[in-house]
Amino acid sequence: MSVFDHPEFDKHEHVAFYHDEEAGLKAIIAVHNTNLGPALGGCRMWPYINSAEALNDVLRLSKGMTYKAAMANLKLGGGKSVIIGDPRKMKTPAMMRAMGKFVDSLGGKYFTAEDSGIAVSDLQEMATQSKFIAGTSAKYHYAGETPDGNPAPSTAYGVFVGLRSTVEYAFNSDLKGVKVAIQGMGHVGYRLAKHLHDAGAELFVTDIYPDGIERAVQELGATAIAPEDIYGLDVDVIAPCAMGASINDETLPDIKAKVIAGAANNQLAREEMGELLRKRGILYAPDYVINAGGVIDIYHQRMEHSSNEAMRNHIEEIGVTLKEIFERAEQEEKATNRVANVIAQERFTIKA
């Protein structure tokens, strides 16, 4: 199948494949849209079953980044890169340097940053081969802490702000006593859990790796659950913070929660799932709106003049944006993801 015929191809401007046999690198970069500025999107390393699965992921993720940047009022376009392989077993400095060369070959059309399976140290290796690597150093932190270039704290804080806003809209309530099931205890999921714990929420957590779950149980008093049990839990909120497409035809019938708000990209297996959620009375916080804290962080790090307070205020606008989406969706009797898409398209289809 040609990339142009792929079901997830959406007028992408650039899709590139790269293979460095010596470094063990097999990677794909997808640039979706650069009308508002150069494409920015993290580099993800994941043990994809095959290259077709990786292509599907990178096409969806890059499109989501265009919408994310537009909804966050950033002068950036959307792109993404994926590396095929298990980051816990296959990642090497040589592979990261080869990835840096790959990014550099696009000549600044695409900037990369941290995503699943990639750490700041990996980006620093990439940066030895390219100046188009973001997140290797930082000047600002939303909470005034010492920044290290990792956008995960900002992503988690943005998801927390958005989840809180969604709960307020759905239940006219704060987070105290609200039951939240979090799928994924990685860099973002655990930090989200900490924010929710501090706000008084009751936590249920799951992950494919046990270390994050054990930490949440010991430090946050969370209840551990099996990955396959999360959707059938009698909770108020489900927060997907792992891989995408977790809201699908198999999981939807089991969902008892009335709110879905999490950090994962592309949570809906297909766009029509948003309408199915609406009909079931489930309020969905569009993923690329609620998880924009990381890209907002990177945007401020690249600004010549910003501040911790400016970054924090920008991230907190996520809650306001979600409320606007919810109100418009209710008035128009439309799915929240459809409403968000329309707003984003209005912004990025106009050249800067």
Side-chain angles (χ1 to χ4, degrees):
M1 177 193 296
S2 166
V3 171
F4 299 111
D5 299 323
H6 195 285
E8 296 298 339
F9 183 81
D10 183 68
K11 300 179 181 178
H12 284 70
E13 295 178 8
H14 195 110
V15 181
F17 299 79
Y18 193 84
H19 180 212
D20 186 320
E21 185 175 11
E22 184 176 352
L25 176 67
K26 292 182 179 179
I28 310 171
I29 293 176
V31 174
H32 178 252
N33 185 287
T34 57
N35 284 351
L36 295 178
L40 175 65
C43 177
R44 167 175 294 183
M45 185 171 182
W46 190 259
Y48 295 102
I49 297 173
N50 50 43
S51 58
E53 185 182 43
L55 177 60
N56 189 76
D57 204 28
V58 77
L59 290 175
R60 295 193 76 198
L61 290 168
S62 57
K63 177 183 176 181
M65 287 302 300
T66 297
Y67 285 70
K68 182 183 298 187
M71 290 301 289
N73 292 309
L74 305 177
K75 296 300 181 182
L76 294 171
K80 206 74 175 184
S81 55
V82 298
I83 298 173
I84 301 172
D86 188 335
R88 297 192 173 203
K89 299 177 180 178
M90 300 172 63
K91 188 167 57 177
T92 65
M95 179 186 288
M96 295 302 102
R97 290 192 293 273
M99 187 65 199
K101 293 178 182 178
F102 183 22
V103 173
D104 199 66
S105 69
L106 271 68
K109 189 181 185 73
Y110 167 71
F111 283 76
T112 198
E114 185 179 354
D115 201 340
S116 300
I118 297 295
V120 173
S121 57
D122 300 322
L123 296 175
Q124 291 169 342
E125 287 287 352
M126 294 182 201
T128 64
Q129 307 298 317
S130 176
K131 63 181 180 180
F132 306 120
I133 311 297
T136 57
S137 61
K139 299 173 285 185
Y140 314 113
H141 190 286
Y142 81 90
E145 299 174 8
T146 302
D148 62 2
N150 181 4
S154 290
T155 301
Y157 181 64
V159 174
F160 168 72
V161 167
L163 191 154
R164 182 179 61 192
S165 179
T166 307
V167 166
E168 288 174 355
Y169 193 89
F171 305 126
N172 192 27
S173 165
D174 60 18
L175 290 166
K176 190 173 182 179
V178 171
K179 296 180 179 180
V180 183
I182 305 176
Q183 180 192 44
M185 283 284 100
H187 295 301
V188 174
Y190 183 81
R191 288 180 171 91
L192 172 62
K194 180 66 166 60
H195 286 303
L196 291 169
H197 170 74
D198 293 345
E202 183 178 352
L203 303 177
F204 301 81
V205 300
T206 190
D207 201 319
I208 60 174
Y209 300 114
D211 47 352
I213 297 178
E214 292 170 3
R215 184 183 178 194
V217 170
Q218 294 173 3
E219 299 181 7
L220 306 177
T223 299
I225 56 174
E228 64 272 16
D229 294 338
I230 185 170
Y231 294 102
L233 285 180
D234 187 11
V235 295
D236 302 300
V237 181
I238 290 177
C241 296
M243 295 297 286
S246 59
I247 309 302
N248 53 55
D249 292 316
E250 292 184 3
T251 60
L252 181 61
D254 296 331
I255 295 177
K256 295 182 176 67
K258 292 302 179 184
V259 165
I260 295 177
N265 289 304
N266 299 318
Q267 294 170 29
L268 306 183
R270 61 180 195 280
E271 288 294 314
E272 293 78 13
M273 301 302 298
E275 180 60 23
L276 296 177
L277 290 172
R278 186 185 76 84
K279 289 180 177 179
R280 293 190 56 181
I282 300 172
L283 185 60
Y284 170 62
D287 46 48
Y288 60 80
V289 179
I290 195 173
N291 67 14
V295 71
I296 292 172
D297 183 308
I298 294 169
Y299 182 78
H300 279 265
Q301 306 298 354
R302 297 178 65 230
M303 292 174 66
E304 188 172 344
H305 301 290
S306 187
S307 66
N308 296 338
E309 184 179 12
M311 179 191 290
R312 183 185 183 97
N313 290 340
H314 198 159
I315 293 172
E316 290 182 348
E317 289 177 9
I318 290 172
V320 177
T321 300
L322 284 170
K323 184 178 179 181
E324 293 173 356
I325 292 170
F326 298 152
E327 290 176 344
R328 182 165 164 180
E330 186 173 6
Q331 291 167 1
E332 299 178 3
E333 297 184 346
K334 293 181 179 178
T336 55
N337 61 311
R338 297 291 192 188
V339 170
N341 289 349
V342 170
I343 297 172
Q345 289 163 4
E346 291 170 351
R347 296 179 181 181
F348 73 73
T349 52
I350 301 174
K351 297 230 181 229

